[in-house]
Amino acid sequence: MLIGIDWGGTKIEGVAMENDGRELLRLREVTPRHDYFGCIRVIRDMINGLETQTGQTGTLGIGIPGSLEPVSRLGKGASSTWLLGRPVEKDLHDAIDREIRVENDADCFAASEAVDGAGAGHNVVFAVILGSGAGAGIAVGGKAHHGPNNSGGEWGHNPLPFPNVTEMPGKPCYCGRHGCMETWVSGRAFEAEYTSHTNEELKAREIIEKKRKGDRLCGLLWERYIDRVARGLATVVNTLDPDILVMGGGMSNVDEIYDDLPRELAKRTFSTVFSTPIRKAVHGDSSGVRGAAWLWKS
């Protein structure tokens, strides 16, 4: 069987799957935030639990919230900052004492949707995560693509294109830069925009509900949000021109995004024609853990 682990910032999830993608068992634990070795212990115990409860031994694929620097193999670019500079792959291997494959969680998400999700049948899949953070992964031929610098899909840490005067220099990002896409198009960024205008804190879904009921401010904030997502993805279309854009994360559950985003993207891309399908992830929050398991797909 195939075992996948999704090491997330708020949860660690594991799945045991048959080679055809049928799930045998799923386990989930709260992430011990800022406790690096505590996370590794949870992952070790979760693997033991999956194998004990299924009575089978599986291959091990692990998706992490960041990536590995290709020379030193130390953690980099992680929103879960307690992974930064750590020998993540070595420490996981030492704890588990088995062969493992480790990839960025967004790349796992892309691979999952490319194999048997919204991107199935498409060669080049660009999968966007608009959740508490913002990022992306690329899959080519059903496999995660990361490149020689292990930086493929780091869309969330590119600057917002064509910023206006109110968007410069941009908000500080945990990566040390200002104005990263993540600071503009994550769910948290959308909520922060509302708070900055009202001094009231609402969840994104509550803001969307107010928009649907005709609240003018919430409607304007949604238009601004879509404009920023479109600006960011236009550079992807102009550079990579993927066969499909697959959307994941909490903001992907807003149905309006699939009507509003294509229209705005069509205005922003260099080509006079924009026909790239934009689809919601089939496996939703489960794509990351399934993609980690698919790291061993032949």
Side-chain angles (χ1 to χ4, degrees):
M1 67 178 180
L2 309 173
I3 290 177
I5 302 291
D6 182 14
W7 180 352
T10 58
K11 65 175 175 61
I12 296 174
E13 188 170 21
V15 69
M17 298 190 332
E18 297 281 15
N19 289 323
D20 61 3
R22 181 172 61 88
E23 293 190 16
L24 301 172
L25 179 64
R26 184 184 293 267
L27 299 175
R28 178 181 291 196
E29 296 285 346
V30 175
T31 300
R33 292 179 60 80
H34 304 286
D35 183 354
Y36 173 71
F37 286 107
C39 291
I40 290 177
R41 286 192 294 271
V42 169
I43 292 170
R44 179 199 63 198
D45 294 345
M46 186 170 287
I47 291 168
N48 290 336
L50 288 166
E51 293 188 330
T52 299
Q53 293 182 52
T54 59
Q56 300 183 54
T57 300
T59 55
L60 304 177
I62 301 174
I64 64 172
S67 57
L68 302 177
E69 196 275 318
V71 177
S72 69
R73 305 301 286 175
L74 299 179
K76 72 180 182 75
S79 54
S80 298
T81 53
W82 54 95
L83 276 72
L84 296 175
R86 297 277 196 166
V88 180
E89 190 174 46
K90 178 182 181 301
D91 288 339
L92 284 167
H93 184 271
D94 289 348
I96 300 166
D97 197 27
R98 299 247 300 274
E99 186 177 0
I100 58 174
R101 293 181 181 176
V102 180
E103 290 281 3
N104 171 260
D105 54 0
D107 287 337
C108 291
F109 167 66
S112 170
E113 289 297 320
V115 171
D116 63 354
H122 297 274
N123 186 44
V124 180
V125 176
F126 193 83
V128 183
I129 300 174
L130 301 174
S132 56
I138 303 169
V140 180
K143 294 184 179 295
H145 169 78
H146 46 73
N149 303 303
N150 222 1
S151 292
E154 288 288 4
W155 175 72
H157 293 285
N158 285 285
L160 177 69
F162 306 108
N164 61 46
V165 293
T166 69
E167 296 168 331
M168 296 187 290
K171 304 166 188 175
C173 182
Y174 71 85
C175 74
R177 298 178 174 88
H178 281 75
C180 291
M181 285 300 302
E182 180 163 318
T183 68
W184 296 112
V185 300
S186 67
R188 287 177 179 168
F190 182 61
E191 293 165 355
E193 281 276 297
Y194 179 82
T195 301
S196 70
H197 287 277
T198 65
N199 292 320
E200 178 186 7
E201 293 186 3
L202 289 181
K203 295 295 185 183
R205 63 179 179 277
E206 296 172 309
I207 301 169
I208 295 299
E209 283 304 314
K210 291 188 70 172
K211 175 191 81 72
R212 289 169 177 164
K213 292 175 180 177
D215 185 281
R216 183 172 180 274
L217 172 62
C218 293
L220 290 172
L221 292 179
W222 175 250
E223 291 175 9
R224 186 182 298 171
Y225 177 81
I226 287 294
D227 172 66
R228 287 168 175 163
V229 175
R231 278 187 268 164
L233 289 178
T235 62
V236 174
V237 175
N238 290 343
T239 305
L240 182 64
D241 203 9
D243 297 314
I244 188 170
L245 296 168
V246 178
M247 312 300 288
M251 297 302 287
S252 74
N253 294 320
V254 181
D255 292 340
E256 290 91 329
I257 203 169
Y258 303 100
D259 292 324
D260 299 341
L261 182 57
R263 287 195 294 266
E264 287 304 311
L265 253 173
K267 299 174 187 176
R268 294 288 185 176
T269 53
F270 184 72
S271 172
T272 55
V273 174
F274 176 74
S275 58
T276 310
I278 302 176
R279 300 285 184 266
K280 184 178 179 179
V282 167
H283 298 296
D285 292 343
S286 300
S287 262
V289 70
R290 289 176 62 87
W294 285 133
L295 292 176
W296 287 86
K297 182 179 173 62
S298 59

